[in-house]
């Protein structure tokens, strides 16, 4: 019994905080907004530390790899797995939309969010690069930071012995910021509890409004994908042992994802879960931070549902070959460009609306749906990274990896 309490005390405290926060939200409703600053402080601590953690984790993982074909194999399999799972989620969602069509008209919804109207080429430039070094330190430049970290890692690897001290610095920085996150997560029960209270109290009732059917489709299919498809991926990675290993260690990342609505905020708990799953560090330290920005099964599903809703709104059929092929292509692009932060930019909606030649009036419904499905989308986005890492490990290390794992 003592061993159980020792091993699961963190989970127990976290779930207790989340449960109490949810109950407070249900009982007191919008009055719990007073607790939001507590949740915000916790999230701000996470966001402040996550950029250096990602930098040190990726660059040190690459810099410490012995020169071999293993790195190139791992990166190649990572790209294949990320692309395959995003496309699988999109195709299955199209099937779900076909089985459960969305026909009802959506009410006139007014949103006050401002969309930055800039050329696509400029948006693309901002996505991959920044104009100043200090801008890399913002979570809004996550992909640019990841690209920079990869470059630093490869440069250190190429420099060989001349970079020994620098590689040691990268390794030390990685260990230090792991410790920083352990300290921050000690406040997890309070921070996530406060955030859950705010979400349940303020946004919960909106789930039963005009968008009930589309939200029901998303959350229903999302739950199916989370339980069934992630189990399938885990089975591919390690058989029955893989399924057990994945779900045993996926609780804290799942709770963090739903509580924060941020893929980036889940990176630390995902890295810890990956370690417990037996995923090698050189794989986890690259695929998980990279997946937080580039690999989004939840955003893929969300993209298809939003397209179906907008098509229904304007009386267009979402069943032609051209529409479906374009939808798949746009889904991959949207999954890449959508930020890993709460309710991050609406570039994805603008992309598919522009691609289909839809009027700008199609934007508000897509934005509303994107906001309301954010908790489930983040859950799928973030926890999909660890199971994808398991699959990458299976193809990089061989099927025996699951037996070697501790």
């Amino acid at each position: 019994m003592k061993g159980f309490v020792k091993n699961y005390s963190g989970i127990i405290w976290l779930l207790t905080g989340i449960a109490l926060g949810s109950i407070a939200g249900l009982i007191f409703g919008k009055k719990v907004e007073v607790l939001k600053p507590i949740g915000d402080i916790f999230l701000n601590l996470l966001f402040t530390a996550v950029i250096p953690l990602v930098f040190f984790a990726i660059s040190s993982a690459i810099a410490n790899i012995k020169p071999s074909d293993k790195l190139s194999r791992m990166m190649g399999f990572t790209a294949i797995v990320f692309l395959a799972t995003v496309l699988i989620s999109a195709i299955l969602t199209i099937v779900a939309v076909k089985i459960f069509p969305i026909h009802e008209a959506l009410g006139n919804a007014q949103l006050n969010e401002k969309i930055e109207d800039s050329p696509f080429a400029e948006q693309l430039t901002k996505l991959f690069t920044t104009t100043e070094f200090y801008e890399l330190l913002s979570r809004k430049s996550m992909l640019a930071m990841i690209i920079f970290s990869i470059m630093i890692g490869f440069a250190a690897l190429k420099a060989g012995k001349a970079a020994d001290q620098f590689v040691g610095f990268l390794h030390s920085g990685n260990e230090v910021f792991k410790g920083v996150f352990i300290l921050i997560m000690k406040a997890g029960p309070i921070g996530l509890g406060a955030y859950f209270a705010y979400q349940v109290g303020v946004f919960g009732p909106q789930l039963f409004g005009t968008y009930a059917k589309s939200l029901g489709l998303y959350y229903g299919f999302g739950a199916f994908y989370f339980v069934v498809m992630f189990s399938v991926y885990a089975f591919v990675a390690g058989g029955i042992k893989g399924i057990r290993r994945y779900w045993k260690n996926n609780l804290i990342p799942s709770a963090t994802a739903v509580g924060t609505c941020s893929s980036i905020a889940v990176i630390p708990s995902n890295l810890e879960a990956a370690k417990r799953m037996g995923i090698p560090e050189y794989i986890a330290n690259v695929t998980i931070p990279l997946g937080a920005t580039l690999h989004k099964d939840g955003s893929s599903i969300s993209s298809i549902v939003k397209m179906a809703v907008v098509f229904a709104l304007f009386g267009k059929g979402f069943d032609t070959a051209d529409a479906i092929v374009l939808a798949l292509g746009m889904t991959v692009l949207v999954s890449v460009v959508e930020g890993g932060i709460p309710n991050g930019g609406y570039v994805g909606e603008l992309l598919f609306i522009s691609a289909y030649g839809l009027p700008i009036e199609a934007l508000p419904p897509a934005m509303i749906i994107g906001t309301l499905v954010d908790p489930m989308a983040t859950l799928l986005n973030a926890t999909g990274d660890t199971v994808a890492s398991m699959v990458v490990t299976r193809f990089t290390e061989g099927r025996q990896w699951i037996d070697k794992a501790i």
Side-chain angles (χ1 to χ4, degrees):
M1 186 63 181
K2 290 183 179 180
F4 176 84
V5 173
K6 181 179 179 181
N7 292 332
Y8 291 93
S9 61
I11 296 176
I12 293 171
W13 279 111
L14 195 63
L15 291 178
T16 301
I18 290 172
L20 292 176
S22 300
I23 293 171
L26 289 172
I27 295 175
F28 298 106
K30 291 189 177 182
K31 292 181 180 179
V32 297
E33 283 188 273
V34 69
L35 298 177
K36 187 174 184 292
I38 299 175
D40 287 339
I41 290 172
F42 174 69
L43 290 183
N44 287 341
L45 287 172
L46 280 178
F47 288 137
T48 301
V50 75
I51 291 297
L53 174 67
V54 168
F55 169 75
F56 284 115
I58 293 179
S59 56
S60 65
I62 295 175
N64 282 289
I65 290 179
K66 305 269 185 184
S68 69
D69 293 332
K70 183 173 284 191
L71 178 61
S72 59
R73 276 171 52 83
M74 185 267 290
M75 293 299 289
F77 283 128
T78 298
I80 293 171
V81 170
F82 281 5
L83 179 61
T85 53
V86 166
L87 286 175
I88 289 172
S89 63
I91 292 170
L92 291 178
T93 308
I94 291 174
V95 174
V97 169
K98 187 70 175 176
I99 297 173
F100 305 101
I102 302 170
H103 292 303
E104 77 261 39
L106 302 179
N108 293 324
Q110 299 296 323
L111 290 183
N112 297 319
E113 287 89 344
K114 287 186 177 180
I115 306 298
E116 183 180 352
D117 187 14
S118 57
F120 175 73
E122 182 179 337
Q123 294 175 352
L124 203 62
T125 301
K126 290 181 179 179
L127 178 67
F128 290 103
T129 59
T130 61
T131 56
E132 300 286 349
F133 175 79
Y134 73 87
E135 293 177 352
L136 290 172
L137 303 180
S138 169
R139 68 179 186 270
K140 296 178 182 178
S141 304
M142 195 68 183
L143 182 56
M145 167 54 78
I146 287 176
I147 293 173
F148 182 77
S149 303
I150 292 173
M151 292 171 62
I152 291 292
F154 277 115
L157 186 64
K158 186 177 181 181
K161 291 185 178 180
D164 282 351
Q165 290 185 335
F166 183 73
V167 172
F169 163 71
L170 294 177
H171 176 71
S172 298
N174 187 32
E175 293 302 316
V176 168
F177 276 94
K178 284 181 182 177
V180 170
F181 262 96
I182 291 174
L183 292 176
I184 293 173
M185 286 307 296
K186 288 185 180 298
I190 297 174
L192 289 182
Y195 217 80
F196 260 86
Y198 171 73
Q199 282 194 329
V200 172
V202 176
F203 295 109
Q206 294 187 32
L207 297 176
F208 304 98
T210 311
Y211 300 90
K213 188 170 183 180
S214 56
L215 292 175
L217 173 63
Y218 184 88
Y219 278 91
F221 179 75
F224 164 82
Y225 193 88
F226 178 66
V227 175
V228 177
M229 294 308 300
F230 282 1
S231 295
V232 170
Y233 297 150
F235 180 81
V236 171
I240 299 299
K241 285 185 179 180
I243 295 176
R244 292 173 179 168
R245 192 78 56 84
Y246 176 72
W247 289 111
K248 179 181 178 181
N249 297 286
N250 194 42
L251 186 57
I252 288 182
S254 297
T256 306
V258 176
T260 64
C261 287
S262 170
S263 297
I264 292 177
V266 187
I267 290 176
S269 54
N270 263 347
L271 288 172
E272 179 62 27
K275 181 179 179 181
R276 294 178 181 275
M277 292 174 192
I279 299 171
E281 280 196 10
Y282 84 94
I283 293 178
N285 286 349
V286 174
T287 56
I288 288 176
L290 197 62
T293 299
L294 299 179
H295 178 237
K296 296 183 173 66
D297 291 355
S299 295
S300 171
I301 297 171
S302 172
S303 176
I304 296 297
V305 171
K306 284 183 283 190
M307 290 180 196
V309 169
V310 170
F311 269 52
L313 178 64
F314 288 93
K316 297 184 65 175
F318 191 61
D319 52 5
T320 64
D322 291 345
I324 291 175
V325 171
L326 183 57
L328 292 175
M330 292 305 301
T331 295
V332 173
L333 187 57
V334 166
S335 298
V336 171
V337 303
E338 283 192 353
I341 57 176
N343 300 317
Y346 296 104
V347 177
E349 284 89 342
L350 288 171
L351 284 176
F352 85 73
I353 287 172
S354 175
Y356 283 112
L358 297 168
I360 198 63
E361 287 79 10
L363 186 57
M367 292 169 65
I368 290 175
I369 293 171
T371 300
L372 293 178
V373 303
D374 204 31
M376 175 62 80
T378 307
L379 175 66
L380 296 173
N381 290 341
T383 58
D385 293 338
T386 45
V387 76
S389 298
M390 290 176 67
V391 177
V392 171
T393 304
R394 160 66 179 84
F395 291 113
T396 304
E397 296 287 319
R399 67 178 60 188
Q400 70 279 4
W401 79 273
I402 195 71
D403 296 319
K404 295 180 180 178
I406 299 175

